[in-house]
Amino acid sequence: ARAMLLLFTALAVGAVPLPVPRSVRSEGGRLDLVLTLERATVTTSSGATLKTRAFNGTVPGPTIRLQPGDDLKLHFKNRLPDQGSAYVHNQFSAADESNVHFHGLHVSGELPSDDSTVPVLPGQDLVYQTSLPDDHMAGTHWLHPHRHGSTALQVAGGAALALIVEDPPGTLPAQVEAAPEVLMVVMQIDLEMTQRIASRAGDSWFQLDGSLQ
């Protein structure tokens, strides 16, 4: 059987509470955020350590909360060391090149907005700027790397975060609006598959030290 690692957030298993990701929220119709992609070491519930890549050093990354009509300015910083993994078309490659994709948002797909065709090389920065339509539907979306070649390695390793477009006040039934919110982010990391991808992409960082048992 394949070795799997499930990471849960914002729920409790037995008596052990799981952490809730930090939230960053727009104010006055604008959110200005610095987001780094960096190497991180995550400790599992069994005490094993997973060497992977993460947004702002955590799996999952911080939760982004927006309102319809908001302007988002995201300073993306690729802080991965360059291992010399060159890009090869339609192959696992470019292990340390990256970018971000606003998965689910109805925004422009061209720079400076959500253009997943533009790579951000190791050590480089790129500022994304986009505006949500005033009538953008509320919903729970996500943000993740989308550099072809390295997407599988980075996303499968936990580089992702929740991106929530909130319902404007007064638009929900009162009992729904008053209900407590519970955010759950579930990530399934297929260790054997991701280690094979890392090997094919020329990556020496992704690995598990210890046992999941």
Side-chain angles (χ1 to χ4, degrees):
R2 289 180 174 176
M4 299 280 189
L5 173 61
L6 293 179
L7 301 179
F8 297 85
T9 236
L11 289 182
V13 178
V16 181
L18 296 175
V20 177
R22 180 178 68 94
S23 285
V24 287
R25 190 184 303 270
S26 63
E27 295 183 5
R30 181 177 179 83
L31 178 61
D32 197 330
L33 173 67
V34 175
L35 190 69
T36 65
L37 182 65
E38 57 197 77
R39 288 183 171 183
T41 301
V42 178
T43 302
T44 71
S45 59
S46 65
T49 56
L50 179 69
K51 294 182 177 179
T52 188
R53 295 163 173 79
F55 284 133
N56 288 9
T58 65
V59 177
T63 299
I64 295 176
R65 295 179 178 271
L66 303 171
Q67 295 279 344
D70 278 352
D71 295 323
L72 172 63
K73 186 174 184 180
L74 190 147
H75 304 253
F76 177 61
K77 300 176 180 291
N78 183 349
R79 292 299 175 258
L80 298 175
D82 188 352
Q83 300 177 89
S85 172
Y87 172 74
V88 181
H89 185 61
N90 283 341
Q91 294 187 31
F92 297 122
S93 59
D96 301 305
E97 297 181 17
S98 193
N99 56 23
V100 297
H101 172 49
F102 308 132
H103 195 125
L105 293 191
H106 291 264
V107 295
S108 170
E110 299 180 353
L111 287 180
S113 184
D114 182 14
D115 192 337
S116 61
T117 67
V118 178
V120 181
L121 304 182
Q124 291 187 349
D125 302 349
L126 182 62
V127 178
Y128 294 90
Q129 298 186 74
T130 197
S131 298
L132 275 63
D134 292 337
D135 61 351
H136 197 294
M137 183 176 289
T140 302
H141 312 288
W142 63 306
L143 183 149
H144 61 85
H146 205 304
R147 168 57 167 154
H148 290 184
S150 63
T151 303
L153 174 62
Q154 295 175 10
V155 176
L161 55 85
L163 197 167
I164 298 174
V165 180
E166 298 184 321
D167 294 275
T171 60
L172 293 174
Q175 64 271 31
V176 175
E177 190 161 355
E181 180 188 82
V182 177
L183 172 65
M184 181 175 70
V185 179
V186 181
M187 297 182 180
Q188 174 180 293
I189 299 177
D190 187 323
L191 296 168
E192 293 179 0
M193 181 187 71
T194 310
Q195 286 172 330
R196 289 197 299 270
I197 291 172
S199 177
R200 291 174 61 181
D203 174 58
S204 62
W205 174 249
F206 181 86
Q207 59 182 301
L208 179 75
D209 293 332
S211 172
L212 294 180
Q213 303 301 320

